[in-house]
Amino acid sequence: MLTEYPCLAILRLPFVLFLSALCVMTGLVPVLLPALSCPAHAAQSTSVSGPHGTATLLSDSDSFMPGQDMHFGLRLQLAPGWHTYWLNPGDAGEAVTLAVHASGGAVGEGGPIEWPVPQRLRDGPLMSYAYTGDVVLPVRLQPQEAKEGTDMVVEATADWLVCATVCVPEHAQFTMTLPRAPLYPSPQAPLFARAAAQRPVASPFAAAIAPDGTLSLSGEGLSPAMVRDAWFMPEQPGQIDHDAPQVLHVRDGLLQLGLKVTDGFHRDAALPGIVVIRDVSGREQALAVTAHPGGPPLMVGTAHGGRVVWLARLLALAFAGGMILNLMPCVFPVLAMKILSLERMAQGERRAALVGAALYAAGIVVAFVVLGALIVGLRMAGDSVGWGFQFQSVTFVMLMCWLLFAISLNLLGVFSFGTGIAALGGAGRLSGHMGDVLTGVLAVVVATPCTAPFMGAAIAGALSASPVAGIAIFVAMGLGLAAPYLLLAAVPGLVRRLPRPGAWMEIVRQALAFPMLATCVWLAWVATLQGGQVAVPLLAGGMVLVAFAAWLVRQAQDMVMAGRGGRDGMVLFCRGGALLAVALAVGGVTMVPPALAPQGGGSGAAHPADGVEAFSQARLDALRAQGRPVFIDMTAAWCISCLVNERVALSPQRVRDAFARQGVVYMKGDWTGRDAAISAFLHDHGRDGVPLYVYYPAHGDGVVLPQVLTPGLVLHTIGAQ
């Protein structure tokens, strides 16, 4: 989360400026002051230093909780000119080994190293796969209950080889003690996020390896216009000549690499490894592949081959996803803001309707572009953020709650954003235009907890494409969200069908304040899940201050309407008091601690009594090894689509009974706050946000379900009907 990692303070600035501009333009706050709290201690061992570098054991949490996944990592800060080795060291070298053992208050053993993508280092006729500079090699550990109430002692043993002109074996033992408490991100957590971002992603392409060593990838998106270079690094040593040229051939829908196999190559076995693809802009993407034996596919173009068609397809998906987003519950509160414009449209002011709709669309598009640029920028910096990432910040959630509360007071007539400004001196047109833009911005901000159908593929494509193509995809998504309103304004026949304006408009305006207030209740619930009990009085106190500020604004507006604005110091007093009240509310956000681990009761909380297990990659691997079917539900308390799917499709008794009959293990991952394990799982499945539903049958690969579920779809997927 942005507010939890001091190392990303600079990267927070665009996000803070975006929220500040939103609040300033609505007249609520003059300055945005997000929390910049720092954890009290660092979860790392004593460093082992030598002439070739420094080694340290790190933890991504300052504490531990039995049953909850955490990461430990060997950080190697190598001296210039020195390197160490990957899982497959290549023609020379030895892979790093790391054994992690927990004892005391909890017990457990660390899993295998989750390897970042290595570099290729050529030394004469030899090729090595290695790491240089500063690298973190993480392992996953799920501590199990042992002696309740005591600290957990973590011991680790690491061996690695460092090489330059000579090679030197290194060995170190580390010890770390962690208290038992809700998981709290450590100052080293950004290093783990960077390591996760450097891991290869699951390949979306089918992979095959021919007997002659021809490695083939096939699927939409591969084309000469996209691929400039590519190379393969096998996980297993002794399979190929690492230094031999890998001849590249690319056609629409097909990429082939000519590998020079060695005597150790098994022609009847799968070949796992990493394919790195470099596009025409020089950007590299690493794909984890498992090439199965078979002849290379025919060199034929696909129906949607070519970069232009690939981009056009993503643009179409983005536009469709944006349109469907209008039907998602996240955007319902903003309908109140839209309906306020219908009166002007119904009165026949066609030009005003078109201008208002265009400005509303502009606000949406600009907000999408800013949000997309923030996500891309943070991911390039090594942070594993995804769609809806800002709702993982308790600061953002509280500010949004107060903003929607102020809008509710406006709809109820406590004070005015627009009419009062218009009465001050003929600025009504300006205020109306600004309101249209801000309504569009608000629509995007509150829409981000939802992911509509088609959006997952579009967002994944935007984050994997070039910056220009990625921004174009976010623009298409914004145009899709604005399209229905643009259509309503542009077609005279539709406008004339709107009801005639009258007293009912004011009734509807006030009635629509209550969905806004209901949204405030939901956001308050999310804030308490993230910030704990301390967030409750701060959130409620902030709402009192916002209400007081709104009342003062109304007093000032009444004085101005009565002609007292130029000579009554009370107007200035009321305005200053309103700004001070809001500033005090925002200042209170700095007292909220960073988001805590889920404490139960949220959407993502797993309750063993309900037959739901908390997500754990180690537990998932164990269940699959046992041949047990598993249903994965990646969710978050701030994701309304997730809550609707859970209530409609996953909670009905007939679905739970079917899970029990079929022996399906239901695992739920809570992404309400930052969780590196869930982020990695989403990343591996080509997703950058929740919801994500994956069903693993007893034997076979996982099946990704749509983002909108029905009971029938779930039952059909698990084979219960």
Side-chain angles (χ1 to χ4, degrees), residues 598-610:
Q599 301 174 17
S603 170
H607 303 282
D610 298 334

Side-chain angles (χ1 to χ4, degrees), residues 663-677:
V664 177
V665 179
Y666 182 10
M667 299 185 74
K668 185 182 290 187
D670 188 355
W671 209 45
T672 302
R674 177 178 291 270
D675 187 299

Side-chain angles (χ1 to χ4, degrees), residues 1 3-4 37-38 184-185 394 530-531 592-596:
M1 306 173 60
T3 57
E4 275 72 91
S37 57
C38 297
Y184 188 105
V394 64
Q530 294 176 322
V592 182
L596 303 176

Side-chain angles (χ1 to χ4, degrees), residues 77 110 117 143 155 408 602:
Q77 297 170 283
V117 178
E155 298 173 318
S408 302

Side-chain angles (χ1 to χ4, degrees), residues 549-568:
W551 178 77
L552 288 176
V553 169
R554 175 58 181 267
Q555 301 307 309
Q557 290 173 343
D558 288 346
M559 293 177 192
V560 171
M561 294 292 290
R564 298 168 54 189
R567 60 181 183 275
D568 196 330

Side-chain angles (χ1 to χ4, degrees), residues 437-713:
V437 174
L438 293 179
T439 303
V441 173
L442 184 65
V444 175
V445 172
V446 301
T448 48
C450 283
T451 304
F454 308 120
M455 279 183 61
I459 294 172
L463 298 179
S464 62
S466 66
V468 174
I471 293 300
I473 291 171
F474 278 105
V475 168
M477 208 175 303
L479 291 175
L481 179 59
Y485 197 73
L486 286 171
L487 179 66
L488 184 65
V491 180
L494 294 177
V495 176
R496 286 194 294 268
R497 292 179 179 273
L498 295 175
R500 288 183 173 275
W504 68 271
M505 284 285 189
E506 183 61 24
I507 298 175
V508 171
R509 168 194 166 99
Q510 295 181 15
L512 286 171
F514 297 99
M516 288 283 191
L517 292 172
T519 306
C520 293
V521 174
W522 163 61
L523 289 173
W525 172 63
V526 174
T528 56
L529 289 178
Q530 294 176 322
Q533 294 182 353
V534 70
V536 177
L538 292 174
L539 183 65
M543 296 180 78
V544 172
L545 288 171
V546 169
F548 181 62
W551 178 77
L552 288 176
V553 169
R554 175 58 181 267
Q555 301 307 309
Q557 290 173 343
D558 288 346
M559 293 177 192
V560 171
M561 294 292 290
R564 298 168 54 189
R567 60 181 183 275
D568 196 330
M570 285 298 297
V571 174
L572 183 60
F573 176 81
C574 289
R575 290 173 177 170
L579 289 176
L580 178 61
V582 174
L584 288 173
V586 176
V589 177
T590 61
M591 301 174 62
V592 182
L596 303 176
Q599 301 174 17
S603 170
H607 303 282
D610 298 334
V612 182
E613 292 192 25
F615 172 77
S616 160
Q617 186 64 49
R619 174 65 172 158
L620 173 61
D621 294 342
L623 289 170
R624 297 198 66 197
Q626 297 170 13
R628 299 279 303 278
V630 183
F631 187 93
I632 302 293
D633 174 8
M634 292 301 182
T635 182
W638 42 260
C639 172
I640 300 183
S641 299
C642 305
L643 301 180
V644 172
N645 283 334
E646 182 175 341
R647 178 62 60 86
V648 172
L650 298 175
S651 294
Q653 193 60 45
R654 63 189 182 108
V655 175
R656 294 299 179 92
D657 291 344
F659 275 32
R661 288 195 307 271
Q662 302 292 116
V664 177
V665 179
Y666 182 10
M667 299 185 74
K668 185 182 290 187
D670 188 355
W671 209 45
T672 302
R674 177 178 291 270
D675 187 299
I678 295 177
S679 297
F681 188 87
L682 294 171
H683 188 63
D684 291 343
H685 288 78
R687 291 287 179 85
D688 292 282
V690 290
L692 172 65
Y693 307 101
V694 184
Y695 175 65
Y696 293 96
H699 304 285
D701 296 331
V703 178
V704 178
L705 279 70
Q707 291 156 320
V708 176
L709 300 181
T710 63
L713 175 63

